[in-house]
Amino acid sequence: MSRTDFLPYRQIHLDFHTSEAIPEIGADFDPDEFADTLVRAHVNSITCFARCHHGWIYYDTRLNPERRHPHLTRNLLKEQIDACHKRGIRAPIYTTVQWDHYTARAHPEWLLVEEDGRIAGTPPFEAGFYRWLNVNSPYVDFLKAHVRELLEMLPCDGFFFDIVQPIPSADPYTQEKMRAAGMDPANALQRARFALESLNDFKREMSAFVWSLNPACSIFFNAGHVGPRHRAVKDAYSHWELESLPSGGWGYQHFPVAMRYARTLGLDVMAHTGKFHTSWGDFHSFKNLAALQYECFRMIAMGAKCLIGDQLPPRGRIERHVYELIGQVYAEVEAKEPWCQGAKAISEIGVLTPEEFTGGSSRYLPESIKGATRMLEEGAHQFDILDSASDLSPYRVVILPDAIPVDDALAAKLQDYLDQGGALIASFESGLNPHSHDFALLAWGVELAGEGPRDREGRLVRGAVYPRGDYVDYLLPRGEIGRGLPPTEHVMYMRGMEVRALAGAETLADRILSYFDRTWEHFCSHRQTPSAG
């Protein structure tokens, strides 16, 4: 089997971050009960743990016996993999990268360091293993040896490398490597750039290392989110896994944004949710059936394979009730698979994401891409999310929501797209050149009339929310855009762009001014000043 056609539709990610203060680890594990429960739940792949965030290892390691969980009673990982393989269930291997409590205590010199010299992550007297390890330190040598041992000791379907994030650091190893690369360690922007570039180098190096030993092994590096920064390093991945637990901090708007982008990058996609009421580590909790159905059916509707997160109790006995819940959903997924295999999304609309310019993560996505996604989904439109490197030719319309700066290269690309018969929609500041001096294309049909007012702190008020409507616009809709609306002023609670229509442009709504903006010197009533007509 090649690493390009391996992804099953019904997968489990089995968490097992287990404290050394808990005894009899794996004492109740029964390999037949474990695997038969998965079969009954229609599961055909499960990610099992080699090493957890506590830093403990769950197999009979010869290389690092001191790291084997002190209360582990059996060769747990091997027994899990063997039992699954006997039943045709795939079993990729999990290992942690940047969170490892054992290593953080044993080698504090391998930790990332904040600009002020503090260790990045969990303070010394706070519960948690969230101290960040440095892939620019000798820690990488330990990781490679650990991975080599797994490949040599166990049948390895794939690797899930967890917690692989570009975290800027001021530690000595990073400073030395930045100087060698001609970069200034004291410059925050250069530290951020180096964090991403060096992390991408680590991914490529680790993937090449794994594939030199097992060319069919799947590989994914998890950061809780897949977005435009992943395009540059997709050669280090066999597939994408979109960690997105709606009730666990990601919210229900994260997955459709991530999925509609990831599926354009040419790799197979798996989507993560969880059986948890909240998020990872939520022991003895259950998501309601309707939510789990909705989340999984949405995955396959958008072209993703399904993965549900669970965690094994410390004594190792798989929880029957959890898999009764999962089985109800996966039985339905299995029945729908014939219509999903080989399916491709057919989208007429492309939406450029501001994440390329503003950044994004599992907990933060630009509001404009979430808003555009929500509007288009509610309107039942088929669309993909793109970046500036995407091919625009498949789309009848390309949308630039709110905050897409257009440099010379992107302007030329958009103009070529228009010349080939495409259409563009841009909102708010999208289409301005990178310096926000003016619009990059005449095709927008407008020119910048001015930057608009600033508030008492000197900030531009356009696009900002003021609780009492200090700065508003009034629009007078007419024609098609006014259908169903009374032909009178409608308040817009945020100030828009001040633009003038160019000759030949069609105006869909007129902007009407208020008497004045609301300030300490002049205000009217409780909130925004009324229209001056």
Side-chain angles (χ1 to χ4, degrees):
M1 180 181 289
S2 78
R3 60 177 184 259
T4 60
D5 63 358
F6 62 89
L7 282 186
Y9 271 88
R10 292 163 274 118
Q11 307 192 49
I12 297 293
H13 182 104
L14 194 64
D15 251 18
F16 200 59
H17 304 293
T18 310
S19 169
E20 65 279 4
I22 297 177
E24 299 182 303
I25 303 303
D28 294 339
F29 179 77
D30 181 320
D32 290 325
E33 179 188 35
F34 177 77
D36 288 342
T37 300
L38 297 175
V39 170
R40 288 193 297 273
H42 303 266
V43 172
N44 52 12
S45 180
I46 182 167
T47 302
C48 298
F49 266 48
R51 179 169 134 262
C52 74
H53 291 335
H54 289 275
W56 298 122
I57 284 174
Y58 299 97
Y59 62 94
D60 288 347
T61 172
R62 293 189 290 267
L63 186 63
N64 299 292
E66 74 286 354
R67 292 172 178 260
R68 190 179 188 273
H69 196 291
H71 306 301
L72 184 63
T73 61
R74 61 200 318 137
N75 195 356
L76 183 60
L77 177 60
K78 185 178 189 304
E79 291 187 60
Q80 290 174 330
I81 293 174
D82 289 347
C84 288
H85 282 180
K86 284 179 184 177
R87 292 158 178 82
I89 298 173
R90 194 169 175 272
I93 293 174
Y94 174 105
T95 193
T96 187
V97 176
Q98 286 176 291
W99 291 343
D100 175 333
H101 195 52
Y102 184 104
T103 302
R105 289 182 296 177
H107 291 281
E109 73 278 11
W110 293 351
L111 292 172
L112 296 176
V113 175
E114 303 279 7
E115 185 178 33
D116 61 5
R118 292 181 295 114
I119 289 172
T122 311
F125 302 112
E126 183 177 309
F129 35 54
Y130 313 109
R131 297 179 186 91
W132 294 89
L133 285 156
N134 184 7
V135 297
N136 290 301
S137 75
Y139 172 56
V140 171
D141 299 329
F142 160 78
L143 272 179
K144 281 188 173 180
H146 167 58
V147 169
R148 178 186 289 275
E149 181 182 56
L150 287 167
L151 287 163
E152 292 174 347
M153 291 186 66
L154 297 165
C156 192
D157 296 324
F159 277 104
F160 184 93
F161 292 107
D162 199 15
I163 314 301
V164 190
Q165 294 272 16
I167 308 294
S169 180
D171 70 275
Y173 292 108
T174 297
Q175 289 189 41
E176 181 181 355
K177 290 191 173 185
M178 286 186 68
R179 289 191 186 96
M183 301 175 75
D184 179 7
N187 184 299
L189 292 177
Q190 292 190 33
R191 282 200 307 277
R193 194 181 94 204
F194 181 80
L196 179 58
E197 291 175 355
S198 62
L199 190 74
N200 287 350
D201 289 343
F202 161 77
K203 293 177 185 178
R204 294 190 186 96
E205 184 180 341
M206 180 61 80
S207 293
F209 174 70
V210 170
W211 287 330
S212 72
L213 299 171
N214 183 346
C217 194
S218 66
I219 296 176
F220 180 72
F221 299 92
N222 186 45
H225 176 65
V226 172
R229 71 175 173 84
H230 288 82
R231 178 188 287 275
V233 72
K234 76 173 188 175
D235 56 317
Y237 293 77
S238 59
H239 66 287
W240 305 118
E241 298 195 25
L242 306 185
E243 183 183 12
S244 188
L245 281 62
S247 54
W250 283 258
Y252 274 97
Q253 288 187 281
H254 175 266
F255 171 70
V257 173
M259 179 61 195
R260 291 177 184 279
Y261 176 76
R263 71 186 184 188
T264 70
L265 296 179
L267 298 180
D268 206 354
V269 183
M270 181 198 313
H272 287 216
T273 187
K275 68 89 186 177
F276 313 104
H277 182 63
T278 58
S279 193
W280 302 107
D282 188 3
F283 279 105
H284 310 295
S285 72
F286 296 84
K287 179 166 286 176
N288 70 73
L289 176 62
L292 197 57
Q293 287 173 321
Y294 171 73
E295 290 158 22
C296 289
F297 298 162
R298 186 168 66 160
M299 293 172 189
I300 59 175
M302 291 190 190
K305 313 297 175 60
C306 301
L307 181 146
I308 299 173
D310 181 31
Q311 59 186 340
L312 191 67
R315 294 181 65 88
R317 186 165 191 179
I318 194 167
E319 291 190 337
R320 174 174 60 88
H321 300 292
V322 169
Y323 289 87
E324 289 173 354
L325 169 66
I326 291 171
Q328 290 183 73
V329 180
Y330 274 178
E332 296 184 73
V333 171
E334 185 175 18
K336 294 170 173 62
E337 282 177 32
W339 288 270
C340 300
Q341 292 166 355
K344 301 291 184 184
I346 305 300
S347 299
E348 294 185 308
I349 300 170
V351 184
L352 288 178
T353 176
E355 184 183 338
E356 178 180 357
F357 309 100
T358 65
S361 68
S362 59
R363 267 62 173 183
Y364 165 72
L365 288 174
E367 291 297 318
S368 56
I369 195 61
K370 291 193 293 185
T373 296
R374 186 168 180 175
M375 285 191 286
L376 290 168
E377 286 190 331
E378 290 181 2
H381 297 289
Q382 299 304 318
F383 64 101
D384 292 330
I385 291 176
L386 314 175
D387 59 27
S388 63
S390 298
D391 179 10
L392 305 183
S393 62
Y395 305 99
R396 293 178 62 189
V397 180
V398 170
I399 298 172
L400 284 68
D402 280 14
I404 307 293
V406 177
D407 61 13
D408 291 343
L410 182 54
K413 184 171 186 172
L414 293 173
Q415 187 62 57
D416 181 66
Y417 168 73
L418 288 171
D419 293 341
Q420 301 304 315
L424 297 174
I425 297 174
S427 61
F428 192 44
E429 295 178 336
S430 287
L432 289 175
N433 60 37
H435 302 292
S436 299
H437 292 156
D438 212 337
F439 289 96
L441 290 175
L442 291 175
W444 299 134
V446 294
E447 63 182 1
L448 195 63
E451 66 175 15
R454 293 177 179 267
D455 62 18
R456 289 177 60 190
E457 281 70 45
R459 296 170 300 194
L460 284 173
V461 305
R462 68 189 191 205
V465 175
Y466 293 84
R468 293 188 178 273
D470 295 354
Y471 304 91
V472 302
D473 283 324
Y474 292 94
L475 294 187
L476 182 61
R478 61 188 182 190
E480 186 67 19
I481 204 171
R483 182 188 297 177
L485 297 174
T488 187
E489 294 97 324
H490 292 258
V491 64
M492 302 289 109
Y493 294 105
M494 291 189 290
R495 182 70 65 91
M497 294 284 292
E498 296 194 358
V499 297
R500 285 187 293 266
L502 298 177
E506 179 185 2
T507 300
L508 301 180
D510 292 311
R511 174 185 178 228
I512 309 297
L513 299 177
S514 64
Y515 285 97
F516 45 78
D517 294 324
R518 181 182 178 89
T519 74
W520 69 275
E521 294 177 300
H522 35 70
F523 54 88
C524 179
S525 191
H526 297 288
R527 295 185 182 275
Q528 68 266 18
T529 308
S531 165

